[in-house]
Amino acid sequence: MLGAPAAACIVTLAATPIVTVYMHRLAAIDEVTARSSHQTPTPRGGGIAVVLGLFTGVIVTVLTRGGADSPDLLPPTAAATLFGLIGLAEDIGGVTAKRRLVLHTAASFVVAAMAVLGALLGDPAPGLLTVLLVTVAAPLWITGFVNVFNFMDGVNGISAVTAVLAGGACAALGATHDLPTLTVGGMLVAASALGFLPFNFPRARIFLGDVGSYALGAVLAALAVQAVLAGIPPEPALAPTALYLADTSTTLARRILAGEQWYSPHRSHAYQRLVIAGWSHVRVTGLVAATTALLIVLSLAAFGPLAGRLAADAAAGLVLLAYLRAPRWAARRGPSGPSGPSGQPARLPAQRRPVPTDDSSDRRAAPGSAR
């Protein structure tokens, strides 16, 4: 079982330097701007290597596993392919916001249909109510989370580490409940992200780019859909993504209530405000990782008695609230040390463009990858 994840990690590790060279040749570079946190021009598109690692793991799985317990990796593979191609086009040439939204929505419907059909053909098949709810909600969920993942990919290592934790949690759920799709899918995500991590953390030599953030976000969203269809409660299915969802939703709500243009580039995410307060990228990524890990542990109470489940849900809400308030506490305490990789105060993370309405003409001015 470990052969496929090992192959995924090795291929990603070997492919990333090659991708870095070709991104330089294609001039797919995130230049330093007033809103950047990186201090030198850095290539984006490193997610190509991650996608290649995922594909390698899927191929090895298909060649080595068969029979009734073979995992249904078609939805996450389609998610990585479709969203990865959209992201690659964005990284190299740019895609208008309206076209991007149409492409995301269409790809989400395809992935959701594959996941639902695969579940219906499986044994046991999910209940009718679950199928109806997932059929309606899954396309919106996949489209939304892909962009949430994209918005949150703004400091060194944050998204690769989150993908490692989310993939590991998914794999553990699958192994515990005899769900090979979750086990293998989660391991491949974690292994591929782990192979990319040394090139993006603690110092970023290349960024995931849209190809990486779109692909990883889509695969994690597809696996969450498959988990719910397989009978996993919502809490453990969504726990690895909860911090990203909370940070993005509260940021957008705050901007809308303040009368701001919510779709314009900004620096209002909690992780961005921590950098402004003087935290290093390593410290911010560490906080996100620790918070996500705690949320994953708390979500396991969903498999126990109702009282414990409700208590754990309340505790998870308090954990998220503490994370969202951390920038305010950090600002009161003042700078806690240099934030940049070379000891210089960190520039502000460049914020990605939200998909729905903004114009793509700021593609070079507002790069969106882990910094």
Side-chain angles (χ1 to χ4, degrees), residues 93-121:
V95 179
T96 63
K98 291 182 179 179
R99 183 172 298 175
R100 194 163 61 242
L101 177 59
V102 170
L103 291 173
H104 282 189
T105 304
S108 295
F109 271 101
V110 172
V111 174
M114 289 181 175
V116 172
L117 182 60
L120 289 174
L121 295 176

Side-chain angles (χ1 to χ4, degrees), residues 24-46:
H24 274 291
R25 292 182 180 178
L26 292 171
I29 305 296
D30 276 350
E31 302 293 344
V32 179
T33 71
R35 288 180 285 113
S36 300
S37 65
H38 59 294
Q39 299 180 1
T40 58
T42 305
R44 56 182 175 268

Side-chain angles (χ1 to χ4, degrees), residues 42-139:
T42 305
R44 56 182 175 268
I48 295 172
V50 175
V51 173
L52 290 175
L54 286 169
F55 287 168
T56 301
V58 171
I59 292 172
V60 172
T61 300
V62 171
L63 294 177
T64 58
R65 293 190 59 156
D69 66 340
S70 59
D72 178 16
L73 297 178
L74 184 57
T77 303
T81 303
L82 296 174
F83 283 95
L85 287 173
I86 297 170
L88 181 60
E90 180 73 4
D91 282 331
I92 294 177
V95 179
T96 63
K98 291 182 179 179
R99 183 172 298 175
R100 194 163 61 242
L101 177 59
V102 170
L103 291 173
H104 282 189
T105 304
S108 295
F109 271 101
V110 172
V111 174
M114 289 181 175
V116 172
L117 182 60
L120 289 174
L121 295 176
D123 185 25
L128 178 59
L129 179 60
T130 299
V131 170
L132 291 176
L133 291 175
V134 170
T135 300
V136 173

